[in-house]
Amino acid sequence: MHIQEYAALDRCNTLGLPTKARYLIQARCLEDVREALVFARTKQLPLIPLGGGSNVVFSGDLDAVVLRMAIAGKSVVSTLGEHTIVESGAGENWHDLVRWTLSQKAYGLENLSLIPGTVGAAPIQNIGAYGVELKDVFHSLQAVDCQTGGVVCFNRDDCGFDYRQSIFKGSCRDCYVIISLRLKLNRRLTPRLDYADLRDKVEKKALNRELSAELISDVVCDVRREKLPDPGMLANVGSFFKNPEVSASTVQQLKARYPDLVAFPAGERWKLAAGWLIDKAGLKGVREGAVGTHKQQALVLVNHGGATGQDVLCFSEAIKARVHARFGVLLEREPRVY
């Protein structure tokens, strides 16, 4: 097990924030994870698992053992009836897994194409896009208990999935290190085209190509590239705030003032489009020093170069304050802060 001391993490987080870890270890297998846990305990330091770094904000240097997840491997576990069970190591790139499942004629992930990050991070966040969430195709995962080093299996009910939420962000935060994920996918394509923008683009492209999961995936990639900046070109962590949930009465009050309010039902409550709120508050495309909101998507905070974690956090708090003052709605940060 190779251990780096005072390791720079600038290239390990998509916001490009200057950060150093007291220790950095790369985990390529289960035993690496176990050894890293023992090492962290010996040094009396917390252990921080890190995937692609696409959903974290480093507020400063980390006096911790950072475990870079690199457990690889993809396989078809079984094909039963209408479903195919696939398994992936936590260190695999998420988008690569999506495209691989389509090549195996296993469907259900096409709407989740081009979401940055690794497979192990997907259930923590319960990633979602265009009407599909990870929980919709989740089968199970394996994780290492940080106290005992034992391997624990979690099924869907165990994970407590909710909107951008799971027990791994809540009651079991920092208790487990996810090492593998299983997904229950469909052998027959059932397109999920609930979003009008996506449906229109798919229908237009399908005039010249047969409708397929690959076509849907391609369109999702096109739409994401149009709306979201490439972290390799402009540092960011994608959507910085969750879409806030409010009551139906709050929606009615806001619609009376803002007829163009973007809101959609979520069970007994409603979700507001956080990007619309930020845009309407006059904060789309603004910049404060090295930090700003993206000119095409107000929900995305970007590092124009040279920003620190504190710069990003201060800017995000200013956005929250402006939106709350105007709409009476409190935004919640999506990425985790260390």
Side-chain angles (χ1 to χ4, degrees):
M1 184 176 65
H2 180 62
I3 301 172
Q4 291 178 259
E5 197 169 358
Y6 298 109
L9 299 180
D10 307 43
R11 296 185 179 181
C12 299
N13 72 100
T14 60
L15 260 173
L17 301 174
T19 310
K20 288 185 179 180
R22 182 67 175 84
Y23 298 102
L24 176 64
I25 298 173
Q26 191 161 134
R28 293 187 174 87
C29 63
L30 169 60
E31 286 309 310
D32 286 347
V33 176
R34 286 173 166 158
E35 288 183 29
L37 286 167
V38 172
F39 179 79
R41 197 173 299 121
T42 301
K43 295 294 183 179
Q44 296 185 317
L45 292 173
L47 182 110
I48 298 176
L50 181 65
S54 59
N55 199 47
V56 295
V57 177
F58 293 135
S59 59
D61 290 341
L62 303 176
D63 190 21
V65 176
V66 174
L67 185 64
R68 193 82 190 271
M69 297 304 296
I71 300 175
K74 302 185 289 286
S75 64
V76 174
V77 176
S78 66
T79 301
L80 296 172
E82 298 178 352
H83 297 105
T84 297
I85 307 296
V86 301
E87 183 173 54
S88 172
E92 289 283 348
N93 175 272
W94 174 260
H95 179 65
D96 290 348
L97 174 67
V98 172
R99 297 300 290 193
W100 176 80
T101 61
L102 301 188
S103 74
Q104 302 298 310
K105 301 189 185 305
Y107 309 120
L109 299 184
E110 49 276 0
N111 288 39
L112 304 182
S113 298
L114 210 63
I115 293 178
T118 55
V119 169
I124 297 174
Q125 180 78 356
N126 184 27
I127 59 172
Y130 302 108
V132 176
E133 292 183 324
L134 181 80
K135 68 176 183 179
D136 300 330
V137 294
F138 182 86
H139 179 274
S140 60
L141 64 81
Q142 286 193 316
V144 177
D145 186 315
C146 292
Q147 292 299 315
T148 68
V151 175
V152 183
C153 184
F154 292 82
N155 62 31
R156 176 176 165 172
D157 291 340
D158 295 333
C159 294
F161 290 127
D162 204 345
Y163 173 60
R164 302 297 181 268
Q165 186 68 32
S166 73
I167 61 168
F168 305 106
K169 284 182 71 176
S171 60
C172 292
R173 180 169 168 161
D174 300 327
C175 296
Y176 298 93
V177 177
I178 295 172
I179 58 173
S180 67
L181 174 66
R182 286 190 176 189
L183 301 171
K184 185 178 181 180
L185 304 176
N186 299 314
R187 297 181 65 188
R188 178 182 297 177
L189 174 64
T190 304
R192 292 287 299 275
L193 302 174
D194 306 331
Y195 281 66
D197 184 35
L198 179 63
R199 182 175 61 251
D200 293 345
K201 285 181 167 60
V202 167
E203 290 176 350
K204 183 176 180 180
K205 206 158 192 174
L207 293 175
N208 301 314
R209 285 173 57 185
E210 181 182 354
L211 179 63
S212 65
E214 288 81 3
L215 183 148
I216 295 171
S217 176
D218 289 345
V219 172
V220 168
C221 290
D222 290 343
V223 173
R224 290 184 69 89
R225 290 187 181 108
E226 288 173 8
K227 294 184 176 181
L228 302 171
D230 180 352
M233 303 295 291
L234 184 60
N236 71 90
V237 288
S239 300
F240 201 88
F241 298 102
K242 297 179 182 180
N243 289 328
E245 292 190 1
V246 298
S247 65
S249 61
T250 297
V251 171
Q252 291 176 348
Q253 292 169 14
L254 288 172
K255 270 194 172 293
R257 294 164 54 198
Y258 307 99
D260 59 338
L261 177 75
V262 179
F264 41 96
E268 296 181 357
R269 294 173 66 77
W270 287 72
K271 284 182 183 176
L272 304 180
W276 183 92
L277 296 171
I278 298 168
D279 187 356
K280 203 72 173 180
L283 295 171
K284 184 178 181 179
V286 302
R287 178 172 176 174
E288 187 174 303
V291 187
T293 51
H294 191 243
K295 61 183 179 181
Q296 291 178 297
Q297 176 51 269
L299 192 54
V300 178
L301 272 61
V302 299
N303 176 3
H304 290 285
T308 66
Q310 290 299 324
D311 293 334
V312 173
L313 294 176
C314 287
F315 186 70
S316 70
E317 288 301 315
I319 290 174
K320 288 173 62 177
R322 177 84 71 88
V323 168
H324 186 262
R326 180 156 187 176
F327 302 103
V329 175
L330 189 60
L331 295 179
E332 182 182 349
R333 218 170 22 228
E334 196 163 302
R336 180 167 178 179
V337 176
Y338 289 99

